Amino acid sequence: QVQVVESGGGVVQPGGSLTLSCAVSGNKFNVSDMGWYRQAPGKQRELVAMIESRGTCKYQDSVKGRFTLSRVDGENTVYLRMNSLKPEDTAVYYCAAKVFHVHPLFAQMTGISGTEAYWGQGTQVTVSS
């Protein structure tokens, strides 16, 4: 029943901006970490940015200072604001979310992860003049 839905992709010119959104629904327990990955043709999927449940954000060096993560809606929704886009940012962007399948407090107190990863369908971002 858990669904991860992405939106916001499109075609922009170099230097332009886009905002991607990722919403998790159908989860019984809280969402833990959420992250954005991207995969360009002929390339391996790579982590772009992630935000931990505590709010700590991590960014790939190539997007630092240009991309910004935010998390809202009871931490079930994450946004990726992408500024100063470059052609090398062109890729399919995937949202991934770790969702607790046990009560988070139980996981914390027992030392288990208690999460399962879910992936969105991907959204195409194309940066071209």
Side-chain angles (χ1 to χ4, degrees):
Q1 291 290 321
V2 176
Q3 289 186 316
V4 178
V5 180
E6 305 133 322
S7 63
V11 180
V12 298
Q13 295 182 346
S17 299
L18 281 175
T19 299
L20 306 182
S21 65
C22 175
V24 179
S25 62
N27 49 305
K28 182 177 181 180
F29 299 106
N30 291 346
V31 178
S32 184
D33 302 346
M34 297 182 68
W36 285 97
Y37 295 75
R38 67 185 181 187
Q39 187 168 22
K43 303 288 186 178
Q44 295 184 355
R45 186 173 298 185
E46 62 179 356
L47 177 65
V48 178
M50 67 175 296
I51 183 167
E52 300 175 353
S53 59
R54 293 174 294 179
T56 301
C57 296
K58 297 180 179 179
Y59 300 92
Q60 185 190 87
D61 288 342
S62 64
V63 306
K64 287 182 178 178
R66 300 189 297 120
F67 292 9
T68 303
L69 283 169
S70 61
R71 195 167 179 177
V72 295
D73 294 340
E75 301 186 342
N76 281 3
T77 301
V78 65
Y79 297 96
L80 181 66
R81 178 63 176 175
M82 305 184 295
N83 294 322
S84 302
L85 285 163
K86 305 175 181 179
E88 51 262 43
D89 294 318
T90 297
V92 178
Y93 284 70
Y94 298 90
C95 179
K98 291 183 178 180
V99 180
F100 281 101
H101 57 81
V102 300
H103 195 286
L105 183 58
F106 178 82
Q108 180 183 14
M109 297 183 71
T110 58
I112 64 173
S113 173
T115 61
E116 182 177 352
Y118 294 86
W119 290 83
Q121 77 287 350
T123 184
Q124 177 71 48
V125 173
T126 302
V127 184
S128 176
S129 61

